[in-house]
Amino acid sequence: MNFKKTLLSAVAFAAIAPMALAERGADGNVSIIYWQAPSILNPFLSGGTKDVESASLIIEPLARYNEKGELVPWLAAEIPTVANGGVSADLTSITWKIAPGLLWSDGTPFTSADVKFTADYCMNPEGGCAQLTKFEGVTSVETPDDLTVKVTFEKSTPVPYGPFVGGESPIIQAAQFANCTGAKASECTAENFGPIGTGPFVVTEFRPNDVITMVANENYRDASKPAFASLTFKGGGDATAAGRAVMETGEFDYAWNLQLAPDVIANMEKGGKGTTVAGFGPLVERIMLNNTNNDPALGPDERSVVRPHPSLSDPAVYKAMSLAIDRPLLVEVGYGPAGKVTCNWIPAPDAFNSTSMTCDQQDIAGANAMLDAAGWAMGGDGVRAKDGVRLSYLYQTSTNAVRQDFQALIKQWFSEIGIETELRNINASVFFGGDAGSPDTFQKFYADLEMYANTFNGTDPQAYLANGLCDKAPRPDTQWQGENISRFCDEEYDALHAKLSTTADIAGRAEIGRALNDMAVERGMMIPLVHRGRLSAHANSLGGVILNVWDSELWNVADWHRVK
Amino acid sequence: MTETAQDTVKEAATTPLTMDALEPTLPARSQWRDVWDQFKHHRGAMFGAGFFVFILLFVTVGPLLWHIDATYIDIRARNQGPSWGHPFGTDQLGRDIFARMMAGGQISMAVGMTAMLLSLFLGTAIGVMAGYFKWLDGLLMRFTDLFLALPLLPLLLVIILLFRERLNAMFGPEGGIFILMVFAIGITSWMNTARIVRGDVLALKEREFILAARSIGTKPRRMITRHVLPNVMSPIMVSATLGIATAIITESALSFLGLGFPPDFPTWGRLLNDGTDYLQQYPERVIWPGLAISLTVLSINYLGDGLRDALDPRIRGR
Amino acid sequence: MLNFTIRRMVISIPTLLFISLVIFLLLELAPGDPMAQVPLTVPAEVKEKMREALGLGQPIHIRYVKWLNQFFVIEPLNLIDYYAGTGFAEGKLRVISWQTRSPVMDIVVQRMPQTLWVVGMAYIIGVLIALPIGIISAYRQYSIFDQAGTFISMVGFSVPPFFSGVLVIVIFAVNLGWFPSIYNTLHVVNDWPSFVVQLKQMVMPVMVLALQTTAQVSRYMRASMLDNLGQDFTRTARAKGLRESQVVMVHVLRNSMIPVVTVIALGVPAVFGGAIITEQVFKVNGIGQLLITAIQANDLPMVLTLTFIFAILIVVFNLIADILYGLLDPRIRYD
């Protein structure tokens, strides 16, 4: 009897399962939790990851990166290249062909006018668009016909895949946002909270910084998708609680970016309701070395401005420091499966990952010998000194449990090679805020060493490598803005970077990129520590999740389905 | 409850009747001696005092006897359970939790006690002044409203921005941040005490014995110290007990936000905070600091109870 | 008393204006930048443009006056429009949050229900439990009830919600599976089963918050009762032959309420302010969570508006407390 029943249900199940996959809305509700709550659904008005990713459920770009970092057409019919004639031979223009038959969720057709409007919207000087870099160098966007968009750049652009590519640059509907351009952008609350899109879901209610409810888009281009009829997107709390809600209590299906200690994650996985997925982009946790003198005795306009640093300018010092760090242990303690040892500033994509340096072995004795040879003699207090300069550093970072563990470990290793460290942790909203009035921002760098992580969007690091150029250093006359945090300055580096910006051939670009990377690390810009991945968790019953670190994590939500 | 001096007189008049016949007069017996006698018969108070002294010794003398440094990392010995080498086990970096409890207690106790005393002093002073002097009431209470309304976090950020460098230069990084913490917690937590004390003083001011004292020409200063203050002791004691818990927790919240002590200084609040993530795997990590904070607060509560009873002449001798 | 009340209300207006100015200047002075949460990949020039779009380029005094106008003129007009269907506020710029680019007051209204449900309920329950505990503890001083009450309330007060919250989640949500660990703010109560669901999701946060309130209020209640139980007037009341319940519940209690009323009145604005940590632990996403995220994102209009609303509540409830003093003890006069 029992057997028969089981058999019957198995047969019924087998019959239903493929059908369920092929029908829109058959799998009920899917719930996602982000421990940072989205505050707006218009990524052009907020660059926050939480906002960009939640909006990616609704609005989409012409092309995006897949989980391997390759460009795939999304709303476009194909990826324009020089080979297929989409990109002009002189690299100054790119012509996108939009896939025919696309509809907005309100049923109106998606045309090239919407694409052009999006560009105008973001490039409006009064709008304060957060994704302006995507449109850097664009001189015009033309629409020869309803399905063609031609973007022209002011100069030869080897990588023309900035505008309309990736989750940061989706297309918004011209009809909806027509009255929201320029200074009026921020007054359009209804539009910013409920953009009309082409994506698999449509907003029904948006509660800022709390929760979003969505239903499947009736007009989505694939009639069988999405498998879920509705979606709940909850925000707020902390990573621990988000992980717990997916893996231990099973209240949610997907939890984003679980920055937690590996043993905490491992314990949650024992809950048996969910699994973690990890992916690696170019995110690197590093210690930036201050190339300028940060002595508090210098005035506010000279501190962290005048060169050189009294001791960190000596390669022996920072090389010894790098040697004293046990990177495999840092990975094990701090990131587990979501971390890898790296000696590079640019660890990904693979073509750009330099292999010329190794750093996976801690060597305290070697570090000590290196310092001895350079003339840094051990003092009576266990701190090395030379010509009255003591190796005593202020080491700051943002407040975060893993970073404080790293600080403690590194302080101890440095003490073993005769370097004294004073630790400081700073509230993240102050540290990463660019307030020129605060002495504690990472841009001001009123310390010798500071630790944080940084990455770049897309797969081409040219703009990111520009962070090492002399003129990008934050200083008083730039209101302490600028991306060259360590104030690294090297003529050779600047020259090589100029060469990169004119090189089109991929292999050549990768070679120059690797050389720039090596130069930055060898000449004292930073000590790379850990190549960090993204770790997210999904319920065991949620199928189709492919973690993508090159684009929005929710990029393929249309393919998500319930595993029966 | 009447005023103490008055009661000493009353008591002196009644004692011979109840005292042992062998000691007919007690001229040399001081008031404080009486207080102590009463105090030491209060079981809770003695337990509280004993435990408090124990905690003080634990955090001050303990580190001298215990050989492991609180910040020493022995990474191979991480996440260990209790053993002879590490009676409370080790944390996620292999630091000895026993040593960290002692080092953390030093900071937590010091910050908790000083900040509580500062806030108590401010609260009592402002509360008594506002309650006693009508012309000050409006001004001081609007000032209190202002402080109640100020958002704590931005206020602390401003305090740190303005004073950290200067204090660091004067007292060194640890001394500087200690003064900053005590000051920050103290000036942001006196308002409740002030309002409560003021309310009590307002009512007290109209009592007969105050009117009587005033009618014989007692100066305001003496009125306050001899007649008003002793009679508002009990809400102050409660404020003190609650204040020390609040101060210890606030300190941990501030350090957690990166507004407090540098990360290599353990405090009880921080240990509790760090341990919360490991609640399921290593529950002992939160139990020790949690217990330490709770028991300290309890012991101060009992101390306060005993002190209050001992200072109340009507209960004394019962 | 009426005279006093009116005078105090009149004084409240300049007080509040002054408080708003101090808060505004404090927030201006505090380090922080609304662009702090924008990723590092966005370059400085773009951030500068975004700041300008938020109106940050204008001088301080202009921004303050603008906010005053928005808060005191345009927001009330909007309220009138909403209820009366008029169009006074059309086209006028309301107080706009920098994070969400939407009117601050709309979000506040959206957050009110869960804050009042959870934090308000916890406060009422906490006070209702605390009063009898305080009274009995004092009346039966050093009894087992008193000792147990003291122990529980002191431990309850010394254990911060970031720990007790996680503890109850691990016990009741993870291990026992009785209650949800994440509060659903979208839940609508319209029948009995949905009310039960609402109760279930409220139990844990209310428990954690009520413990704190109970501990605090019961301690003041007990101490104050103890003071008055030994007073001459209590002896007189007993000597008059009043029933013991009448002596305690009327004579002693009434005279002991002053500090308790103060504490309760101080707590009410805090209820509207939400419970920052508890709301975050349980994802209640009420006013407390709104405030802390606004502070972290340096969303000045939001922080300023919220703290100013609290300031109004603080001034109002302290006034109510002062009036209650007069009712509890007619000898207290302010004139």
Side-chain angles (χ1 to χ4, degrees):
Chain A
M1 181 67 189
N2 246 342
F3 173 71
K4 206 172 162 188
K5 211 170 170 182
T6 324
L7 195 71
L8 271 175
S9 61
V11 170
F13 178 67
I16 290 167
M19 271 171 62
L21 283 181
E23 196 186 333
R24 174 180 295 158
D27 285 352
N29 185 56
V30 60
S31 49
I32 299 173
I33 184 161
Y34 269 46
W35 50 267
Q36 287 182 348
S39 30
I40 194 165
L41 284 176
N42 182 347
F44 294 113
L45 293 182
S46 160
T49 313
K50 60 199 169 75
D51 305 315
V52 169
E53 301 207 344
S54 53
S56 75
L57 296 164
I58 305 147
I59 43 182
E60 301 173 306
L62 294 181
R64 64 179 7 153
Y65 297 95
N66 67 7
E67 76 278 10
K68 298 188 201 86
E70 301 156 350
L71 266 183
V72 286
W74 212 252
L75 297 177
E78 59 173 359
I79 301 293
T81 57
V82 180
N84 66 20
V87 177
S88 66
D90 61 353
L91 305 173
T92 54
S93 74
I94 180 166
T95 308
W96 292 93
K97 286 278 178 202
I98 297 168
L102 288 175
L103 291 181
W104 289 101
S105 60
D106 63 359
T108 56
F110 177 96
T111 67
S112 57
D114 295 305
V115 181
K116 179 175 164 48
F117 173 81
T118 303
D120 293 342
Y121 178 87
C122 187
M123 293 194 300
N124 189 313
E126 284 169 53
C129 177
Q131 310 300 348
L132 206 54
T133 33
K134 284 274 185 187
F135 295 90
E136 208 172 342
V138 172
T139 50
S140 74
V141 178
E142 291 155 69
T143 51
D145 64 59
D146 271 1
L147 294 178
T148 312
V149 181
K150 185 179 178 212
V151 183
T152 314
F153 297 91
E154 61 188 3
K155 60 176 188 221
S156 159
T157 308
V159 185
Y161 307 113
F164 319 122
V165 175
E168 292 90 7
S169 188
I171 315 298
I172 52 175
Q173 195 192 33
Q176 190 189 18
F177 280 88
N179 294 321
C180 299
T181 53
K184 278 189 290 190
S186 55
E187 289 168 39
C188 290
T189 308
E191 289 79 359
N192 293 334
F193 282 3
I196 293 171
T198 51
F201 290 96
V202 180
V203 187
T204 47
E205 188 181 2
F206 178 76
R207 295 194 177 189
N209 289 352
D210 181 16
V211 63
I212 315 170
T213 47
M214 302 185 196
V215 291
N217 176 1
E218 288 298 314
N219 294 306
Y220 189 61
R221 52 188 175 275
D222 185 337
S224 63
K225 289 174 183 173
F228 291 101
S230 61
L231 182 147
T232 315
F233 191 110
K234 175 89 178 177
D238 51 287
T240 322
R244 192 173 279 139
V246 169
M247 293 189 278
E248 289 191 86
T249 66
E251 289 165 77
F252 279 78
D253 292 312
Y254 189 86
W256 161 82
N257 196 12
L258 302 177
Q259 281 177 18
L260 294 170
D263 37 351
V264 174
I265 296 263
N267 187 64
M268 282 180 180
E269 282 188 311
K270 280 191 212 145
K273 297 212 164 87
T275 37
T276 53
V277 279
F280 287 85
L283 184 67
V284 171
E285 186 82 21
R286 78 292 285 284
I287 295 177
M288 298 305 276
L289 304 164
N290 198 338
N291 283 218
T292 55
N293 192 343
N294 64 308
D295 186 350
L298 294 170
D301 289 347
E302 291 187 359
R303 191 175 180 193
S304 285
V305 175
V306 293
R307 291 163 200 284
H309 188 282
S311 55
L312 278 174
S313 50
D314 182 350
V317 173
Y318 57 78
K319 285 190 174 156
M321 280 159 63
S322 176
L323 214 52
I325 294 170
D326 187 348
R327 290 182 178 79
L329 187 69
L330 288 181
V331 170
E332 193 186 325
V333 168
Y335 296 100
K340 290 185 206 164
V341 170
T342 186
C343 321
N344 293 326
W345 176 22
I346 316 277
D350 265 347
F352 285 90
N353 186 18
S354 163
T355 50
S356 61
M357 295 170 283
T358 51
C359 54
D360 51 359
Q361 276 291 319
Q362 186 190 30
D363 184 2
I364 299 280
N368 270 315
M370 196 182 275
L371 288 169
D372 284 336
W376 295 96
M378 191 69 95
D381 54 354
V383 180
R384 288 174 186 272
K386 182 163 89 173
D387 309 329
V389 179
R390 290 173 84 239
L391 293 185
S392 173
Y393 296 134
L394 176 61
Y395 174 14
Q396 68 182 19
T397 187
S398 71
T399 304
N400 164 320
V402 174
R403 291 203 171 121
Q404 266 73 78
D405 282 356
F406 275 27
Q407 276 185 310
L409 281 165
I410 291 171
K411 178 180 173 142
Q412 175 147 328
W413 292 326
F414 283 0
S415 76
E416 286 169 27
I417 59 167
I419 296 175
E420 180 186 70
T421 17
E422 181 194 330
L423 304 184
R424 178 176 290 169
N425 61 325
I426 299 157
N427 189 355
S429 70
V430 174
F431 189 63
F432 294 116
D435 190 336
S438 167
D440 288 332
T441 63
F442 80 114
Q443 289 104 330
K444 269 210 178 156
F445 205 169
Y446 282 177
D448 303 285
L449 312 169
E450 68 183 3
M451 178 168 69
Y452 62 90
N454 199 357
T455 186
F456 58 94
N457 290 327
T459 53
D460 187 84
Q462 182 183 321
Y464 186 54
L465 284 164
N467 293 356
L469 301 177
C470 293
D471 63 344
K472 296 248 184 182
R475 43 187 192 273
D477 55 307
T478 63
Q479 273 75 46
W480 297 99
Q481 303 300 318
E483 292 80 32
N484 186 355
I485 304 302
S486 67
R487 289 96 165 118
F488 180 79
C489 189
D490 190 303
E491 277 175 29
E492 254 182 89
Y493 185 95
D494 284 16
L496 195 57
H497 188 271
K499 193 176 160 204
L500 175 69
S501 58
T502 54
T503 309
D505 140 63
I506 293 292
R509 290 179 69 79
E511 196 186 325
I512 298 175
R514 290 196 300 268
L516 286 169
N517 169 73
D518 291 359
M519 213 181 266
V521 176
E522 295 273 342
R523 298 186 186 180
M525 178 173 167
M526 66 173 75
I527 303 175
L529 298 175
V530 176
H531 178 194
R532 279 175 52 186
R534 184 77 78 75
L535 187 82
S536 295
H538 66 86
N540 291 334
S541 65
L542 184 67
V545 174
I546 300 173
L547 188 67
N548 185 346
V549 291
W550 304 101
D551 208 309
S552 164
E553 259 188 69
L554 307 174
W555 69 301
N556 71 336
V557 69
D559 300 331
W560 288 10
H561 56 89
R562 194 61 71 193
V563 179
K564 295 268 165 51
Chain B
M1 191 199 306
T2 44
E3 159 277 329
T4 37
Q6 217 178 17
D7 263 279
T8 328
V9 178
K10 210 196 288 177
E11 202 180 346
T14 52
T15 34
L17 298 173
T18 56
M19 275 291 149
D20 200 88
L22 287 173
E23 287 178 284
T25 49
L26 296 158
R29 204 174 161 83
S30 83
Q31 192 188 347
W32 291 110
R33 180 87 188 272
D34 278 351
V35 169
W36 169 241
D37 274 352
Q38 170 67 21
F39 184 79
K40 91 187 161 190
H41 285 109
H42 191 292
R43 282 218 334 265
M46 288 314 283
F47 158 78
F51 187 79
F52 191 70
V53 170
F54 168 72
I55 288 262
L56 278 183
L57 288 177
F58 176 72
V59 303
T60 50
V61 182
L64 304 175
L65 304 176
W66 188 246
H67 58 98
I68 303 178
D69 186 80
T71 54
Y72 178 75
I73 296 171
D74 180 6
I75 198 73
R76 279 158 305 163
R78 67 178 193 263
N79 293 331
Q80 282 189 354
S83 64
W84 285 112
H86 304 287
F88 287 0
T90 58
D91 71 358
Q92 75 278 10
L93 295 180
R95 291 173 292 202
D96 180 52
I97 294 181
F98 190 62
R100 290 175 76 70
M101 283 294 297
M102 292 191 285
Q106 270 177 16
I107 298 178
S108 287
M109 292 285 278
V111 170
M113 297 293 290
T114 0
M116 177 268 283
L117 289 176
L118 177 64
S119 115
L120 219 55
F121 171 76
L122 283 174
T124 311
I126 291 175
V128 169
M129 302 285 252
Y132 193 80
F133 300 108
K134 191 168 276 169
W135 58 277
L136 272 175
D137 187 25
L139 189 71
L140 285 177
M141 281 302 111
R142 299 300 77 74
F143 182 67
T144 312
D145 286 349
L146 169 68
F147 262 83
L148 279 168
L150 289 182
L152 184 64
L153 224 52
L155 181 68
L156 289 167
L157 286 172
V158 171
I159 295 175
I160 286 173
L161 175 74
L162 294 178
F163 302 113
R164 191 186 60 203
E165 294 287 317
R166 253 172 278 173
L167 286 172
N168 271 6
M170 271 191 278
F171 303 98
E174 293 153 44
I177 205 80
F178 177 79
I179 293 173
L180 207 63
M181 285 283 94
V182 168
F183 176 70
I185 298 172
I187 66 154
T188 52
S189 60
W190 55 268
M191 293 81 76
N192 282 21
T193 317
R195 283 212 48 100
I196 291 162
V197 168
R198 166 184 171 267
D200 259 10
V201 172
L202 281 178
L204 205 64
K205 210 167 56 168
E206 308 299 331
R207 290 267 170 89
E208 294 78 3
F209 74 91
I210 297 275
L211 296 176
R214 196 182 290 154
S215 66
I216 58 167
T218 315
K219 294 250 166 29
R221 189 193 156 87
R222 201 175 152 73
M223 282 291 284
I224 288 172
T225 51
R226 300 288 299 185
H227 301 256
V228 176
L229 265 184
N231 282 298
V232 290
M233 276 316 276
S234 52
I236 294 178
M237 283 293 173
V238 177
S239 290
T241 326
L242 299 177
I244 195 161
T246 317
I248 292 177
I249 309 285
T250 312
E251 185 282 318
S252 76
L254 297 183
S255 303
F256 180 70
L257 287 170
L259 302 172
F261 284 91
D264 47 344
F265 283 74
T267 67
W268 284 346
R270 178 176 294 216
L271 291 176
L272 186 60
N273 210 329
D274 289 352
T276 306
D277 270 353
Y278 298 90
L279 184 67
Q280 282 157 289
Q281 298 102 302
Y282 312 107
E284 68 274 10
R285 255 183 234 173
V286 282
I287 290 174
W288 294 121
L291 213 58
I293 300 175
S294 302
L295 290 180
T296 306
V297 173
L298 260 178
S299 71
I300 290 175
N301 174 64
Y302 281 120
L303 259 175
D305 263 8
L307 210 58
R308 203 191 61 86
D309 286 2
L311 286 173
D312 187 341
R314 243 169 293 95
I315 300 179
R316 201 187 301 150
R318 250 207 277 157
Chain C
M1 196 50 89
L2 185 69
N3 195 356
F4 164 75
T5 312
I6 293 169
R7 204 179 59 219
R8 272 286 295 276
M9 280 173 154
V10 173
I11 294 176
S12 294
I13 295 167
T15 311
L16 282 170
L17 279 177
F18 181 70
I19 290 179
S20 77
L21 180 65
V22 172
I23 298 175
F24 183 83
L25 292 177
L26 179 76
L27 294 177
E28 279 299 317
L29 199 60
D33 172 30
M35 297 296 117
Q37 288 184 337
V38 173
L40 302 182
T41 45
V42 175
E45 308 88 69
V46 176
K47 284 187 187 166
E48 193 51 45
K49 288 219 175 81
M50 289 172 74
R51 267 185 221 112
E52 275 167 29
L54 295 176
L56 262 170
Q58 291 167 325
I60 287 182
H61 58 274
I62 292 189
R63 276 188 287 148
Y64 177 62
V65 173
K66 255 190 171 171
W67 178 83
L68 280 183
N69 179 39
Q70 285 168 351
F71 188 87
F72 286 103
V73 181
I74 299 175
E75 289 296 339
L77 282 179
N78 262 291
L79 201 65
I80 296 169
D81 286 359
Y82 180 78
Y83 283 108
T86 47
F88 295 126
E90 245 167 63
K92 293 192 175 118
L93 200 58
R94 303 175 62 182
V95 185
I96 300 280
S97 152
W98 286 349
Q99 285 175 91
T100 66
R101 318 290 177 102
S102 70
V104 168
M105 293 311 283
D106 288 0
I107 306 177
V108 172
V109 170
Q110 204 175 62
R111 295 303 179 91
M112 240 18 201
Q114 51 259 39
T115 292
L116 290 184
W117 266 106
V118 173
V119 188
M121 188 67 80
Y123 196 66
I124 294 171
I125 291 176
V127 170
L128 288 182
I129 297 177
L131 295 181
I133 288 185
I135 296 168
I136 300 172
S137 290
Y139 191 67
R140 298 245 175 272
Q141 197 189 5
Y142 303 132
S143 64
I144 292 176
F145 182 89
D146 179 31
Q147 302 286 14
T150 303
F151 187 81
I152 293 170
S153 57
M154 280 298 130
V155 172
F157 194 80
S158 353
V159 173
F162 67 72
F163 168 60
S164 52
V166 174
L167 184 70
V168 294
I169 285 182
V170 167
I171 295 175
F172 294 110
V174 175
N175 292 340
L176 296 174
W178 290 355
F179 309 120
S181 72
I182 289 174
Y183 188 93
N184 179 7
T185 46
L186 294 167
H187 185 69
V188 183
V189 177
N190 47 17
D191 53 6
W192 180 249
S194 67
F195 181 68
V196 173
V197 171
Q198 174 67 15
L199 275 189
K200 272 189 170 180
Q201 64 172 352
M202 276 169 57
V203 169
M204 291 197 295
V206 167
M207 199 154 66
V208 167
L209 284 170
L211 185 63
Q212 301 264 319
T213 315
T214 308
Q216 203 185 358
V217 175
S218 71
R219 294 319 290 171
Y220 282 110
M221 187 75 241
R222 175 180 178 274
S224 187
M225 285 289 285
L226 276 178
D227 274 354
N228 284 313
L229 276 169
Q231 290 286 0
D232 296 339
F233 71 80
T234 312
R235 221 174 302 159
T236 316
R238 284 206 180 103
K240 276 199 299 187
L242 289 178
R243 268 179 296 128
E244 189 64 9
S245 61
Q246 214 169 354
V247 173
V248 176
M249 298 311 287
V250 178
H251 288 76
V252 179
L253 186 61
R254 180 169 175 167
N255 281 287
S256 309
M257 283 306 282
I258 285 184
V260 180
V261 162
T262 316
V263 177
I264 295 177
L266 281 169
V268 176
V271 168
F272 287 90
I276 291 178
I277 294 173
T278 313
E279 283 188 7
Q280 266 199 314
V281 169
F282 295 98
K283 265 63 65 188
V284 177
N285 291 355
I287 302 278
Q289 188 260 7
L290 187 65
L291 179 65
I292 191 72
T293 45
I295 288 178
Q296 277 163 355
N298 293 300
D299 183 354
L300 294 198
M302 177 83 86
V303 179
L304 182 59
T305 309
L306 282 176
T307 38
F308 188 64
I309 295 173
F310 303 155
I312 297 176
L313 290 169
I314 287 164
V315 170
V316 168
F317 277 91
N318 283 348
L319 174 61
I320 292 176
D322 282 354
I323 296 170
L324 281 176
Y325 294 167
L327 297 178
L328 286 168
D329 190 341
R331 282 175 300 183
I332 296 181
R333 280 170 206 290
Y334 297 102
D335 306 305

